[in-house]
Amino acid sequence: NETSRRILRASGRASKATGASVIVHPGFGADALFQHADDLMEGGAEPSRIVMGHLDMFHDMDAIRRLAEMGVMLEYDAFGMEGTNLGDVGGQPVHLPTDTETIGRLAQLIEWGYGDRLVIAHDVCRKSHLTGYGGNGYAHIIESIVPRMRGRGFSEDDIRRILVENPARVLTFT
């Protein structure tokens, strides 16, 4: 809606003025990804300062590739929520992929040359996500995902880029 678009353009102006990155949790549908990025850039945000989150739920890798080609940072942030069904949006079921599927998508993006645009997280935001309440907890990426990335053939440079270098670059004010 127009209010959201105005907020995104204002966020783009703030990013330009401060050098801060903008992290977006987009609406569903590939068109939302591009509309949000376009609105932020229209406001003046540099594509490399835009972090498009929740990409786990977007299964169209061609759309993700187009987003990467724009220079936007790509965030896969639902590790540990394998197969979670988020309900229906616009009559379409929305579910999160398995960690294995997400690792495969990261491998594809690295193969395409976009390793410098990747950041990952696990969106631990509820009590049920904590280990004491049956969830995977805060250490899931380090204890479970990184070993699986190594097993999948990710280089130590790839892992360092995703876990350290890319976040350091995008979270630093420019």
Side-chain angles (χ1 to χ4, degrees):
N1 69 32
E2 188 53 35
T3 300
S4 295
R5 296 190 69 204
R6 284 187 8 233
I7 291 167
L8 285 165
R9 289 190 294 269
S11 297
R13 287 191 298 277
S15 175
K16 181 178 181 179
T18 65
S21 292
V22 180
I23 300 174
V24 180
H25 285 196
F28 299 103
D31 57 328
L33 299 174
F34 299 103
Q35 186 64 63
H36 296 334
D38 288 343
D39 286 339
L40 285 161
M41 289 186 289
E42 186 179 315
E46 291 293 323
S48 64
R49 305 306 290 167
I50 299 169
V51 181
M52 196 65 68
H54 290 334
L55 293 181
D56 314 76
M57 63 184 87
F58 294 91
H59 305 288
D60 181 355
M61 288 301 289
D62 289 330
I64 303 301
R65 185 178 197 167
R66 286 193 347 254
L67 200 62
E69 289 169 355
M70 293 171 68
V72 171
M73 295 297 291
L74 311 172
E75 182 182 60
Y76 286 82
D77 55 14
F79 279 104
M81 297 184 197
E82 303 199 75
T84 300
N85 183 343
L86 300 176
D88 287 348
V89 175
Q92 298 285 58
V94 177
H95 70 279
L96 296 172
T98 65
D99 288 349
T100 300
E101 290 169 321
T102 301
I103 290 168
R105 291 175 189 174
L106 294 173
Q108 179 66 69
L109 288 160
I110 289 169
E111 184 178 313
W112 286 341
Y114 301 117
D116 64 333
R117 295 206 178 41
L118 299 174
V119 292
I120 63 174
H122 39 71
D123 206 353
V124 176
C125 59
R126 296 187 177 126
K127 211 185 225 188
S128 62
H129 295 158
L130 300 173
T131 54
Y133 295 90
N136 291 311
Y138 291 110
H140 180 64
I141 288 177
I142 299 301
E143 292 177 353
S144 178
I145 301 305
V146 169
R148 291 165 69 184
M149 291 167 84
R150 286 183 179 115
R152 176 73 189 252
F154 284 61
S155 71
E156 291 303 315
D157 286 342
D158 290 333
I159 293 168
R160 180 171 174 73
R161 187 176 309 116
I162 292 168
L163 294 180
V164 178
E165 294 168 10
N166 294 346
R169 189 177 69 249
V170 79
L171 294 174
T172 302
F173 285 67
T174 59

PDB file of all heavy atoms in Angstrom, residues 72-106:
ATOM      1  N   VAL A  72      21.540  -6.184  -4.147  1.00  0.00           N
ATOM      2  CA  VAL A  72      20.918  -6.271  -2.828  1.00  0.00           C
ATOM      3  C   VAL A  72      21.528  -7.432  -2.044  1.00  0.00           C
ATOM      4  O   VAL A  72      21.875  -8.473  -2.613  1.00  0.00           O
ATOM      5  CB  VAL A  72      19.387  -6.464  -2.998  1.00  0.00           C
ATOM      6  CG1 VAL A  72      18.697  -6.775  -1.692  1.00  0.00           C
ATOM      7  CG2 VAL A  72      18.777  -5.224  -3.651  1.00  0.00           C
ATOM      8  N   MET A  73      21.664  -7.263  -0.738  1.00  0.00           N
ATOM      9  CA  MET A  73      22.116  -8.346   0.136  1.00  0.00           C
ATOM     10  C   MET A  73      20.964  -9.333   0.334  1.00  0.00           C
ATOM     11  O   MET A  73      19.811  -8.920   0.486  1.00  0.00           O
ATOM     12  CB  MET A  73      22.568  -7.805   1.488  1.00  0.00           C
ATOM     13  CG  MET A  73      23.784  -6.904   1.427  1.00  0.00           C
ATOM     14  SD  MET A  73      25.277  -7.735   0.834  1.00  0.00           S
ATOM     15  CE  MET A  73      25.619  -8.827   2.207  1.00  0.00           C
ATOM     16  N   LEU A  74      21.268 -10.613   0.363  1.00  0.00           N
ATOM     17  CA  LEU A  74      20.279 -11.684   0.451  1.00  0.00           C
ATOM     18  C   LEU A  74      20.370 -12.359   1.810  1.00  0.00           C
ATOM     19  O   LEU A  74      21.427 -12.902   2.150  1.00  0.00           O
ATOM     20  CB  LEU A  74      20.532 -12.711  -0.655  1.00  0.00           C
ATOM     21  CG  LEU A  74      20.723 -12.153  -2.069  1.00  0.00           C
ATOM     22  CD1 LEU A  74      21.145 -13.257  -3.014  1.00  0.00           C
ATOM     23  CD2 LEU A  74      19.457 -11.454  -2.549  1.00  0.00           C
ATOM     24  N   GLU A  75      19.278 -12.327   2.561  1.00  0.00           N
ATOM     25  CA  GLU A  75      19.287 -12.912   3.908  1.00  0.00           C
ATOM     26  C   GLU A  75      18.383 -14.132   3.979  1.00  0.00           C
ATOM     27  O   GLU A  75      17.186 -14.043   3.739  1.00  0.00           O
ATOM     28  CB  GLU A  75      18.834 -11.880   4.941  1.00  0.00           C
ATOM     29  CG  GLU A  75      18.878 -12.435   6.356  1.00  0.00           C
ATOM     30  CD  GLU A  75      18.375 -11.427   7.377  1.00  0.00           C
ATOM     31  OE1 GLU A  75      17.221 -10.996   7.293  1.00  0.00           O
ATOM     32  OE2 GLU A  75      19.174 -11.080   8.259  1.00  0.00           O
ATOM     33  N   TYR A  76      18.978 -15.249   4.348  1.00  0.00           N
ATOM     34  CA  TYR A  76      18.247 -16.475   4.646  1.00  0.00           C
ATOM     35  C   TYR A  76      18.250 -16.590   6.164  1.00  0.00           C
ATOM     36  O   TYR A  76      19.286 -16.810   6.771  1.00  0.00           O
ATOM     37  CB  TYR A  76      18.896 -17.674   3.966  1.00  0.00           C
ATOM     38  CG  TYR A  76      18.620 -17.673   2.475  1.00  0.00           C
ATOM     39  CD1 TYR A  76      19.381 -16.909   1.598  1.00  0.00           C
ATOM     40  CD2 TYR A  76      17.556 -18.391   1.962  1.00  0.00           C
ATOM     41  CE1 TYR A  76      19.095 -16.874   0.245  1.00  0.00           C
ATOM     42  CE2 TYR A  76      17.257 -18.367   0.603  1.00  0.00           C
ATOM     43  CZ  TYR A  76      18.036 -17.611  -0.243  1.00  0.00           C
ATOM     44  OH  TYR A  76      17.737 -17.571  -1.582  1.00  0.00           O
ATOM     45  N   ASP A  77      17.091 -16.415   6.765  1.00  0.00           N
ATOM     46  CA  ASP A  77      17.042 -16.236   8.221  1.00  0.00           C
ATOM     47  C   ASP A  77      16.063 -17.156   8.941  1.00  0.00           C
ATOM     48  O   ASP A  77      15.661 -16.865  10.057  1.00  0.00           O
ATOM     49  CB  ASP A  77      16.738 -14.778   8.560  1.00  0.00           C
ATOM     50  CG  ASP A  77      15.470 -14.263   7.901  1.00  0.00           C
ATOM     51  OD1 ASP A  77      14.676 -15.070   7.391  1.00  0.00           O
ATOM     52  OD2 ASP A  77      15.279 -13.034   7.909  1.00  0.00           O
ATOM     53  N   ALA A  78      15.716 -18.255   8.324  1.00  0.00           N
ATOM     54  CA  ALA A  78      14.774 -19.161   8.983  1.00  0.00           C
ATOM     55  C   ALA A  78      15.385 -20.536   9.242  1.00  0.00           C
ATOM     56  O   ALA A  78      14.675 -21.538   9.284  1.00  0.00           O
ATOM     57  CB  ALA A  78      13.495 -19.286   8.158  1.00  0.00           C
ATOM     58  N   PHE A  79      16.710 -20.572   9.426  1.00  0.00           N
ATOM     59  CA  PHE A  79      17.327 -21.855   9.773  1.00  0.00           C
ATOM     60  C   PHE A  79      16.717 -22.365  11.076  1.00  0.00           C
ATOM     61  O   PHE A  79      16.428 -21.601  11.992  1.00  0.00           O
ATOM     62  CB  PHE A  79      18.843 -21.698   9.927  1.00  0.00           C
ATOM     63  CG  PHE A  79      19.572 -21.713   8.619  1.00  0.00           C
ATOM     64  CD1 PHE A  79      20.046 -20.545   8.058  1.00  0.00           C
ATOM     65  CD2 PHE A  79      19.770 -22.904   7.946  1.00  0.00           C
ATOM     66  CE1 PHE A  79      20.722 -20.562   6.851  1.00  0.00           C
ATOM     67  CE2 PHE A  79      20.437 -22.943   6.727  1.00  0.00           C
ATOM     68  CZ  PHE A  79      20.911 -21.760   6.180  1.00  0.00           C
ATOM     69  N   GLY A  80      16.499 -23.647  11.118  1.00  0.00           N
ATOM     70  CA  GLY A  80      15.954 -24.263  12.321  1.00  0.00           C
ATOM     71  C   GLY A  80      14.432 -24.282  12.376  1.00  0.00           C
ATOM     72  O   GLY A  80      13.855 -24.764  13.345  1.00  0.00           O
ATOM     73  N   MET A  81      13.777 -23.804  11.339  1.00  0.00           N
ATOM     74  CA  MET A  81      12.305 -23.786  11.317  1.00  0.00           C
ATOM     75  C   MET A  81      11.791 -24.675  10.195  1.00  0.00           C
ATOM     76  O   MET A  81      10.808 -24.365   9.528  1.00  0.00           O
ATOM     77  CB  MET A  81      11.814 -22.347  11.135  1.00  0.00           C
ATOM     78  CG  MET A  81      12.203 -21.453  12.271  1.00  0.00           C
ATOM     79  SD  MET A  81      11.497 -19.824  12.055  1.00  0.00           S
ATOM     80  CE  MET A  81      12.490 -18.901  13.188  1.00  0.00           C
ATOM     81  N   GLU A  82      12.460 -25.769  10.020  1.00  0.00           N
ATOM     82  CA  GLU A  82      12.204 -26.666   8.899  1.00  0.00           C
ATOM     83  C   GLU A  82      10.741 -27.019   8.718  1.00  0.00           C
ATOM     84  O   GLU A  82      10.090 -27.476   9.648  1.00  0.00           O
ATOM     85  CB  GLU A  82      13.005 -27.956   9.077  1.00  0.00           C
ATOM     86  CG  GLU A  82      14.470 -27.677   9.208  1.00  0.00           C
ATOM     87  CD  GLU A  82      15.318 -28.872   8.932  1.00  0.00           C
ATOM     88  OE1 GLU A  82      15.455 -29.226   7.765  1.00  0.00           O
ATOM     89  OE2 GLU A  82      15.835 -29.448   9.895  1.00  0.00           O
ATOM     90  N   GLY A  83      10.279 -26.787   7.502  1.00  0.00           N
ATOM     91  CA  GLY A  83       8.933 -27.201   7.128  1.00  0.00           C
ATOM     92  C   GLY A  83       7.814 -26.449   7.818  1.00  0.00           C
ATOM     93  O   GLY A  83       6.656 -26.839   7.709  1.00  0.00           O
ATOM     94  N   THR A  84       8.121 -25.364   8.518  1.00  0.00           N
ATOM     95  CA  THR A  84       7.073 -24.611   9.197  1.00  0.00           C
ATOM     96  C   THR A  84       6.063 -24.098   8.181  1.00  0.00           C
ATOM     97  O   THR A  84       6.430 -23.522   7.169  1.00  0.00           O
ATOM     98  CB  THR A  84       7.674 -23.411   9.971  1.00  0.00           C
ATOM     99  OG1 THR A  84       8.583 -23.922  10.935  1.00  0.00           O
ATOM    100  CG2 THR A  84       6.601 -22.596  10.653  1.00  0.00           C
ATOM    101  N   ASN A  85       4.803 -24.342   8.455  1.00  0.00           N
ATOM    102  CA  ASN A  85       3.733 -23.853   7.592  1.00  0.00           C
ATOM    103  C   ASN A  85       3.261 -22.523   8.150  1.00  0.00           C
ATOM    104  O   ASN A  85       2.832 -22.428   9.293  1.00  0.00           O
ATOM    105  CB  ASN A  85       2.588 -24.866   7.551  1.00  0.00           C
ATOM    106  CG  ASN A  85       1.478 -24.445   6.603  1.00  0.00           C
ATOM    107  OD1 ASN A  85       1.384 -23.290   6.209  1.00  0.00           O
ATOM    108  ND2 ASN A  85       0.657 -25.401   6.237  1.00  0.00           N
ATOM    109  N   LEU A  86       3.350 -21.482   7.330  1.00  0.00           N
ATOM    110  CA  LEU A  86       2.962 -20.147   7.766  1.00  0.00           C
ATOM    111  C   LEU A  86       1.512 -19.824   7.405  1.00  0.00           C
ATOM    112  O   LEU A  86       1.088 -18.690   7.559  1.00  0.00           O
ATOM    113  CB  LEU A  86       3.903 -19.105   7.147  1.00  0.00           C
ATOM    114  CG  LEU A  86       5.380 -19.275   7.518  1.00  0.00           C
ATOM    115  CD1 LEU A  86       6.227 -18.266   6.781  1.00  0.00           C
ATOM    116  CD2 LEU A  86       5.571 -19.151   9.015  1.00  0.00           C
ATOM    117  N   GLY A  87       0.779 -20.823   6.920  1.00  0.00           N
ATOM    118  CA  GLY A  87      -0.617 -20.599   6.561  1.00  0.00           C
ATOM    119  C   GLY A  87      -0.756 -20.199   5.111  1.00  0.00           C
ATOM    120  O   GLY A  87       0.160 -20.336   4.315  1.00  0.00           O
ATOM    121  N   ASP A  88      -1.904 -19.693   4.772  1.00  0.00           N
ATOM    122  CA  ASP A  88      -2.182 -19.270   3.406  1.00  0.00           C
ATOM    123  C   ASP A  88      -2.076 -17.753   3.292  1.00  0.00           C
ATOM    124  O   ASP A  88      -2.545 -17.018   4.154  1.00  0.00           O
ATOM    125  CB  ASP A  88      -3.596 -19.686   2.986  1.00  0.00           C
ATOM    126  CG  ASP A  88      -3.707 -21.177   2.728  1.00  0.00           C
ATOM    127  OD1 ASP A  88      -2.660 -21.850   2.649  1.00  0.00           O
ATOM    128  OD2 ASP A  88      -4.832 -21.669   2.595  1.00  0.00           O
ATOM    129  N   VAL A  89      -1.474 -17.317   2.211  1.00  0.00           N
ATOM    130  CA  VAL A  89      -1.422 -15.898   1.886  1.00  0.00           C
ATOM    131  C   VAL A  89      -1.901 -15.762   0.453  1.00  0.00           C
ATOM    132  O   VAL A  89      -1.305 -16.322  -0.464  1.00  0.00           O
ATOM    133  CB  VAL A  89       0.010 -15.333   2.037  1.00  0.00           C
ATOM    134  CG1 VAL A  89       0.051 -13.882   1.574  1.00  0.00           C
ATOM    135  CG2 VAL A  89       0.484 -15.459   3.472  1.00  0.00           C
ATOM    136  N   GLY A  90      -2.994 -15.059   0.273  1.00  0.00           N
ATOM    137  CA  GLY A  90      -3.554 -14.905  -1.061  1.00  0.00           C
ATOM    138  C   GLY A  90      -3.949 -16.219  -1.687  1.00  0.00           C
ATOM    139  O   GLY A  90      -3.835 -16.393  -2.892  1.00  0.00           O
ATOM    140  N   GLY A  91      -4.379 -17.162  -0.863  1.00  0.00           N
ATOM    141  CA  GLY A  91      -4.797 -18.461  -1.370  1.00  0.00           C
ATOM    142  C   GLY A  91      -3.662 -19.420  -1.646  1.00  0.00           C
ATOM    143  O   GLY A  91      -3.891 -20.539  -2.089  1.00  0.00           O
ATOM    144  N   GLN A  92      -2.429 -19.009  -1.382  1.00  0.00           N
ATOM    145  CA  GLN A  92      -1.272 -19.862  -1.609  1.00  0.00           C
ATOM    146  C   GLN A  92      -0.681 -20.288  -0.273  1.00  0.00           C
ATOM    147  O   GLN A  92      -0.457 -19.453   0.597  1.00  0.00           O
ATOM    148  CB  GLN A  92      -0.186 -19.109  -2.397  1.00  0.00           C
ATOM    149  CG  GLN A  92      -0.618 -18.677  -3.775  1.00  0.00           C
ATOM    150  CD  GLN A  92      -0.646 -19.849  -4.729  1.00  0.00           C
ATOM    151  OE1 GLN A  92      -1.346 -20.828  -4.503  1.00  0.00           O
ATOM    152  NE2 GLN A  92       0.092 -19.752  -5.799  1.00  0.00           N
ATOM    153  N   PRO A  93      -0.419 -21.594  -0.093  1.00  0.00           N
ATOM    154  CA  PRO A  93       0.228 -22.028   1.148  1.00  0.00           C
ATOM    155  C   PRO A  93       1.668 -21.530   1.194  1.00  0.00           C
ATOM    156  O   PRO A  93       2.367 -21.541   0.189  1.00  0.00           O
ATOM    157  CB  PRO A  93       0.166 -23.551   1.072  1.00  0.00           C
ATOM    158  CG  PRO A  93       0.020 -23.873  -0.370  1.00  0.00           C
ATOM    159  CD  PRO A  93      -0.674 -22.697  -1.003  1.00  0.00           C
ATOM    160  N   VAL A  94       2.089 -21.077   2.353  1.00  0.00           N
ATOM    161  CA  VAL A  94       3.456 -20.591   2.529  1.00  0.00           C
ATOM    162  C   VAL A  94       4.121 -21.481   3.570  1.00  0.00           C
ATOM    163  O   VAL A  94       3.633 -21.614   4.685  1.00  0.00           O
ATOM    164  CB  VAL A  94       3.463 -19.119   2.998  1.00  0.00           C
ATOM    165  CG1 VAL A  94       4.889 -18.647   3.238  1.00  0.00           C
ATOM    166  CG2 VAL A  94       2.759 -18.232   1.996  1.00  0.00           C
ATOM    167  N   HIS A  95       5.208 -22.106   3.174  1.00  0.00           N
ATOM    168  CA  HIS A  95       5.952 -22.929   4.116  1.00  0.00           C
ATOM    169  C   HIS A  95       7.439 -22.661   3.954  1.00  0.00           C
ATOM    170  O   HIS A  95       7.895 -22.219   2.908  1.00  0.00           O
ATOM    171  CB  HIS A  95       5.651 -24.425   3.896  1.00  0.00           C
ATOM    172  CG  HIS A  95       6.235 -24.958   2.627  1.00  0.00           C
ATOM    173  ND1 HIS A  95       5.631 -24.792   1.408  1.00  0.00           N
ATOM    174  CD2 HIS A  95       7.370 -25.637   2.399  1.00  0.00           C
ATOM    175  CE1 HIS A  95       6.390 -25.349   0.469  1.00  0.00           C
ATOM    176  NE2 HIS A  95       7.439 -25.867   1.036  1.00  0.00           N
ATOM    177  N   LEU A  96       8.168 -22.886   5.018  1.00  0.00           N
ATOM    178  CA  LEU A  96       9.610 -22.693   4.992  1.00  0.00           C
ATOM    179  C   LEU A  96      10.302 -23.982   4.565  1.00  0.00           C
ATOM    180  O   LEU A  96       9.863 -25.069   4.911  1.00  0.00           O
ATOM    181  CB  LEU A  96      10.096 -22.266   6.377  1.00  0.00           C
ATOM    182  CG  LEU A  96       9.562 -20.911   6.840  1.00  0.00           C
ATOM    183  CD1 LEU A  96       9.942 -20.660   8.283  1.00  0.00           C
ATOM    184  CD2 LEU A  96      10.059 -19.800   5.952  1.00  0.00           C
ATOM    185  N   PRO A  97      11.380 -23.859   3.822  1.00  0.00           N
ATOM    186  CA  PRO A  97      12.100 -25.049   3.376  1.00  0.00           C
ATOM    187  C   PRO A  97      12.880 -25.672   4.525  1.00  0.00           C
ATOM    188  O   PRO A  97      13.044 -25.067   5.584  1.00  0.00           O
ATOM    189  CB  PRO A  97      13.052 -24.485   2.321  1.00  0.00           C
ATOM    190  CG  PRO A  97      13.309 -23.083   2.771  1.00  0.00           C
ATOM    191  CD  PRO A  97      12.005 -22.625   3.375  1.00  0.00           C
ATOM    192  N   THR A  98      13.379 -26.858   4.295  1.00  0.00           N
ATOM    193  CA  THR A  98      14.255 -27.499   5.266  1.00  0.00           C
ATOM    194  C   THR A  98      15.607 -26.789   5.255  1.00  0.00           C
ATOM    195  O   THR A  98      15.956 -26.079   4.296  1.00  0.00           O
ATOM    196  CB  THR A  98      14.471 -28.984   4.928  1.00  0.00           C
ATOM    197  OG1 THR A  98      15.184 -29.061   3.682  1.00  0.00           O
ATOM    198  CG2 THR A  98      13.157 -29.746   4.840  1.00  0.00           C
ATOM    199  N   ASP A  99      16.371 -26.991   6.305  1.00  0.00           N
ATOM    200  CA  ASP A  99      17.723 -26.432   6.340  1.00  0.00           C
ATOM    201  C   ASP A  99      18.551 -26.952   5.171  1.00  0.00           C
ATOM    202  O   ASP A  99      19.336 -26.214   4.579  1.00  0.00           O
ATOM    203  CB  ASP A  99      18.402 -26.764   7.669  1.00  0.00           C
ATOM    204  CG  ASP A  99      17.842 -25.972   8.842  1.00  0.00           C
ATOM    205  OD1 ASP A  99      17.060 -25.011   8.628  1.00  0.00           O
ATOM    206  OD2 ASP A  99      18.198 -26.310   9.987  1.00  0.00           O
ATOM    207  N   THR A 100      18.369 -28.215   4.819  1.00  0.00           N
ATOM    208  CA  THR A 100      19.100 -28.808   3.690  1.00  0.00           C
ATOM    209  C   THR A 100      18.762 -28.083   2.397  1.00  0.00           C
ATOM    210  O   THR A 100      19.657 -27.791   1.591  1.00  0.00           O
ATOM    211  CB  THR A 100      18.780 -30.313   3.573  1.00  0.00           C
ATOM    212  OG1 THR A 100      19.172 -30.950   4.794  1.00  0.00           O
ATOM    213  CG2 THR A 100      19.501 -30.944   2.402  1.00  0.00           C
ATOM    214  N   GLU A 101      17.485 -27.778   2.184  1.00  0.00           N
ATOM    215  CA  GLU A 101      17.086 -27.042   0.981  1.00  0.00           C
ATOM    216  C   GLU A 101      17.706 -25.639   0.970  1.00  0.00           C
ATOM    217  O   GLU A 101      18.184 -25.172  -0.067  1.00  0.00           O
ATOM    218  CB  GLU A 101      15.568 -26.930   0.896  1.00  0.00           C
ATOM    219  CG  GLU A 101      14.883 -28.248   0.588  1.00  0.00           C
ATOM    220  CD  GLU A 101      13.374 -28.188   0.755  1.00  0.00           C
ATOM    221  OE1 GLU A 101      12.876 -27.535   1.704  1.00  0.00           O
ATOM    222  OE2 GLU A 101      12.678 -28.802  -0.087  1.00  0.00           O
ATOM    223  N   THR A 102      17.710 -24.986   2.116  1.00  0.00           N
ATOM    224  CA  THR A 102      18.282 -23.639   2.182  1.00  0.00           C
ATOM    225  C   THR A 102      19.783 -23.677   1.928  1.00  0.00           C
ATOM    226  O   THR A 102      20.317 -22.831   1.201  1.00  0.00           O
ATOM    227  CB  THR A 102      17.967 -22.979   3.531  1.00  0.00           C
ATOM    228  OG1 THR A 102      16.543 -22.914   3.692  1.00  0.00           O
ATOM    229  CG2 THR A 102      18.542 -21.570   3.604  1.00  0.00           C
ATOM    230  N   ILE A 103      20.471 -24.646   2.484  1.00  0.00           N
ATOM    231  CA  ILE A 103      21.910 -24.795   2.224  1.00  0.00           C
ATOM    232  C   ILE A 103      22.134 -24.988   0.722  1.00  0.00           C
ATOM    233  O   ILE A 103      23.066 -24.423   0.146  1.00  0.00           O
ATOM    234  CB  ILE A 103      22.501 -25.956   3.051  1.00  0.00           C
ATOM    235  CG1 ILE A 103      22.526 -25.567   4.533  1.00  0.00           C
ATOM    236  CG2 ILE A 103      23.905 -26.330   2.560  1.00  0.00           C
ATOM    237  CD1 ILE A 103      22.818 -26.732   5.476  1.00  0.00           C
ATOM    238  N   GLY A 104      21.278 -25.764   0.083  1.00  0.00           N
ATOM    239  CA  GLY A 104      21.368 -25.957  -1.368  1.00  0.00           C
ATOM    240  C   GLY A 104      21.191 -24.652  -2.136  1.00  0.00           C
ATOM    241  O   GLY A 104      21.877 -24.396  -3.131  1.00  0.00           O
ATOM    242  N   ARG A 105      20.282 -23.806  -1.674  1.00  0.00           N
ATOM    243  CA  ARG A 105      20.070 -22.504  -2.330  1.00  0.00           C
ATOM    244  C   ARG A 105      21.295 -21.608  -2.149  1.00  0.00           C
ATOM    245  O   ARG A 105      21.699 -20.903  -3.074  1.00  0.00           O
ATOM    246  CB  ARG A 105      18.827 -21.827  -1.765  1.00  0.00           C
ATOM    247  CG  ARG A 105      17.554 -22.553  -2.171  1.00  0.00           C
ATOM    248  CD  ARG A 105      16.351 -21.951  -1.506  1.00  0.00           C
ATOM    249  NE  ARG A 105      15.178 -22.793  -1.755  1.00  0.00           N
ATOM    250  CZ  ARG A 105      14.016 -22.595  -1.216  1.00  0.00           C
ATOM    251  NH1 ARG A 105      13.817 -21.583  -0.381  1.00  0.00           N
ATOM    252  NH2 ARG A 105      12.997 -23.397  -1.488  1.00  0.00           N
ATOM    253  N   LEU A 106      21.884 -21.637  -0.962  1.00  0.00           N
ATOM    254  CA  LEU A 106      23.106 -20.862  -0.728  1.00  0.00           C
ATOM    255  C   LEU A 106      24.223 -21.348  -1.656  1.00  0.00           C
ATOM    256  O   LEU A 106      24.947 -20.540  -2.249  1.00  0.00           O
ATOM    257  CB  LEU A 106      23.549 -20.970   0.729  1.00  0.00           C
ATOM    258  CG  LEU A 106      22.630 -20.358   1.779  1.00  0.00           C
ATOM    259  CD1 LEU A 106      23.121 -20.709   3.176  1.00  0.00           C
ATOM    260  CD2 LEU A 106      22.499 -18.861   1.603  1.00  0.00           C
TER     261      LEU A 106
END
